[in-house]
Amino acid sequence: MSALDFSFVEWDIFSKFVLKGMLFSVELTIVATIGGIVFGTILALMRLSGNKFLELPAVIYVNGMRSIPLVMVILWFFLLIPFLIGRSIGAELSATITFVAFEAAYFSEIMRAGIQSIPRGQVMAGQALGMTYSQNMRLIVLPQAFRNMIPVLLTQTIILFQDTSLVYAIGAYDLLKGFVTAGKIYGRVEEVYILAALVYFVICFGLSALVRRLQARIAIIR
């Protein structure tokens, strides 16, 4: 087995191969986070509505998605969507749809916990003022729930960024794909996997440190 050699690593490696993948991974993370929070909040409200016709589909969807490995969902969407519409939509778009649909289930549980953390007295106070259910949620409950859940939402976003590496399974050009492509061209596959791990570690560790600081500040404000 040959010794590891990182002498091939130059800025050109990152600019030609890695940067493109990094941009897609970041874009996928942002879109999936925003879409996941929006649809996750809707699912959470459906589960808390008390209406069985709204609650049951949300429960089935959330529990179903949370019980299936993400890589399997990625492969299902990648193979199923072209079968249904009769044409391929590309690995990147398929990955985006998959991540929004999958993350909605996880963000739903986070938002449901956030909504349930709001004291019941505040909800009753809004009702006493004549607010409707939607006004109560929009003006009193959801703003506080979002604030309380910011650290957890950001932590889930970091996990989401790590999970974007799974789109490599369908050939999408993400951060990991950029490293692997460079490794194959330069004949240094082992080295690029180590470099990829280091890049993921630095990004995720740095973001986790910021989340901990933010969590401490929110705790002080409370």
Side-chain angles (χ1 to χ4, degrees):
M1 182 176 178
S2 60
L4 296 177
D5 181 9
F6 293 92
S7 61
F8 73 99
V9 179
E10 299 175 349
W11 171 246
D12 285 347
I13 299 290
F14 291 91
S15 62
K16 291 180 180 179
F17 304 103
V18 178
L19 187 58
K20 176 184 175 182
M22 169 71 84
L23 290 175
F24 175 71
S25 292
V26 172
E27 289 174 1
L28 179 57
T29 301
I30 293 173
V31 172
T33 298
I34 295 173
I37 290 175
V38 171
F39 290 109
T41 301
I42 294 173
L43 288 168
L45 293 175
M46 289 172 65
R47 293 194 67 176
L48 296 171
S49 66
N51 186 326
K52 290 185 178 180
F53 293 101
L54 295 176
E55 184 179 350
L56 184 59
V59 169
I60 293 173
Y61 182 88
V62 171
N63 290 336
M65 280 292 187
R66 285 165 57 88
S67 301
I68 304 172
L70 175 55
V71 68
M72 290 183 63
V73 180
I74 291 172
L75 291 170
W76 284 352
F77 270 79
F78 182 66
L79 298 173
L80 183 61
I81 292 178
F83 177 77
L84 293 176
I85 66 175
R87 62 182 179 85
S88 175
I89 61 173
E92 283 76 15
L93 180 55
S94 177
T96 302
I97 295 172
T98 302
F99 268 78
V100 171
F102 189 83
E103 293 300 324
Y106 284 84
F107 283 116
S108 170
E109 290 298 274
I110 295 172
M111 290 309 305
R112 186 164 70 99
I115 292 171
Q116 291 178 325
S117 71
I118 305 303
R120 182 65 181 171
Q122 296 192 29
V123 178
M124 296 176 67
Q127 293 173 342
L129 292 173
M131 289 185 177
T132 63
Y133 175 80
S134 61
Q135 288 175 328
N136 218 335
M137 281 291 173
R138 188 175 72 253
L139 300 176
I140 296 178
V141 177
L142 287 179
Q144 295 183 77
F146 273 113
R147 187 193 66 186
N148 293 343
M149 292 295 103
I150 284 176
V152 184
L153 291 172
L154 292 177
T155 298
Q156 181 62 31
T157 301
I158 295 171
I159 296 172
L160 196 167
F161 175 74
Q162 295 172 340
D163 288 343
T164 59
S165 61
L166 295 175
V167 302
Y168 179 74
I170 58 174
Y173 200 102
D174 69 315
L175 177 58
L176 180 59
K177 178 74 171 181
F179 274 108
V180 173
T181 301
K184 290 179 178 178
I185 291 175
Y186 286 88
R188 293 294 176 181
V189 177
E190 294 85 358
E191 287 86 343
V192 295
Y193 274 114
I194 294 174
L195 286 174
L198 288 174
V199 170
Y200 276 105
F201 173 80
V202 169
I203 293 173
C204 295
F205 183 83
L207 292 175
S208 296
L210 291 176
V211 170
R212 288 193 295 271
R213 292 187 62 181
L214 178 61
Q215 190 171 14
R217 292 191 64 178
I218 292 177
I220 293 173
I221 293 174
R222 290 179 186 171

